Amino acid sequence: MERTSESLSRRLFLAGLIAVPAAGCAMRAPLSPEASSPVPTPVTQRALAMYRAMPEEEFPVPAVDLGQLDPSYYRAVVDYATSEPEGTVIVEISACYLYHVGENGTATRYGVGIGRAGFSWSGRAHIAYKREWPIWTPPAAMIEREPELEKWRHGQPPGIDNALGARALYIHQGNTDTLYRIHGTGQAWTIGKAVSSGCVRLLNQDVIHLHERVRPGAAIVVRA
């Protein structure tokens, strides 16, 4: 069992807070679907069902273009040996996977996009609270770097184009907001890549699934 820090890595945590707070969660991915498409793989009915359109949502969620998603990042229940208690969220940065620890040595595994080099973080914290269709407020440092975001200084309204997507889980260490989030995206080609300013992004269908199951206060362990 890999040991994890009892606190967020000071160097990386400060980099996230000072250089570009992770609540920024970059709105624009540096990749295009054409540049990052995986080799075509037959799509299963299970995958189509998991990543279907969700018209029942407050803001209808389109179906995932599975041609832009490596099947190794499909949501799955897997064997997962860990000493962490049931309900813990574990993010394996190098593998681009998030695990929600379940019963009897299993976990639900989700593919994720992770922070760009220099903005990734590691350590132990907890999920303070979670939101459906959250408002996104870019930090001042991000607005200064990207002036076109000025229009969202007081918050980007919720919706399918919101930078946090359909759901957000807010990560605190003690009573301090780390400014890091687990959140949704509709950009399937970004899963499995380093794409955001420190946040962990899941497909909207996956973050909805995770949001329904994670309780506030659950531990989160992020392994660099």
Side-chain angles (χ1 to χ4, degrees), residues 5-161:
S5 169
E6 290 303 317
S7 62
L8 294 178
S9 165
R10 183 173 181 81
R11 179 177 61 83
L12 295 176
F13 177 64
L14 290 177
L17 292 180
I18 296 172
V20 50
C25 294
M27 296 183 67
R28 294 187 303 275
L31 304 170
S32 67
E34 293 76 17
S36 58
S37 297
V39 175
T41 303
V43 176
T44 65
Q45 290 300 311
R46 178 176 176 274
L48 290 171
M50 280 196 301
Y51 296 113
R52 65 175 178 85
M54 303 183 76
E56 69 276 15
E57 281 288 317
E58 179 180 358
F59 301 94
V61 175
V64 174
D65 180 355
L66 293 175
Q68 303 301 330
L69 180 64
D70 187 319
S72 66
Y73 295 115
Y74 290 174
R75 182 170 77 237
V77 176
V78 298
D79 293 332
Y80 190 68
T82 178
S83 61
E84 299 292 341
E86 183 180 348
T88 301
V89 174
I90 300 174
V91 181
E92 300 280 3
I93 289 177
S94 61
C96 289
Y97 285 128
L98 181 151
Y99 296 87
H100 186 217
V101 178
E103 299 179 313
N104 302 319
T106 67
T108 302
R109 186 184 68 192
Y110 306 84
V112 301
I114 53 93
R116 292 191 303 265
F119 298 112
S120 58
W121 56 279
S122 61
R124 182 181 292 271
H126 67 276
I127 307 297
Y129 56 94
K130 53 187 185 176
R131 294 286 185 268
E132 297 185 15
W133 295 105
I135 294 171
W136 176 67
T137 304
M142 176 172 273
I143 294 172
E144 184 175 343
R145 194 174 70 254
E146 301 180 47
E148 66 273 20
L149 299 181
E150 175 64 39
K151 62 184 177 180
W152 305 131
R153 181 177 292 275
H154 301 295
Q156 182 187 23
I160 200 64
D161 295 323

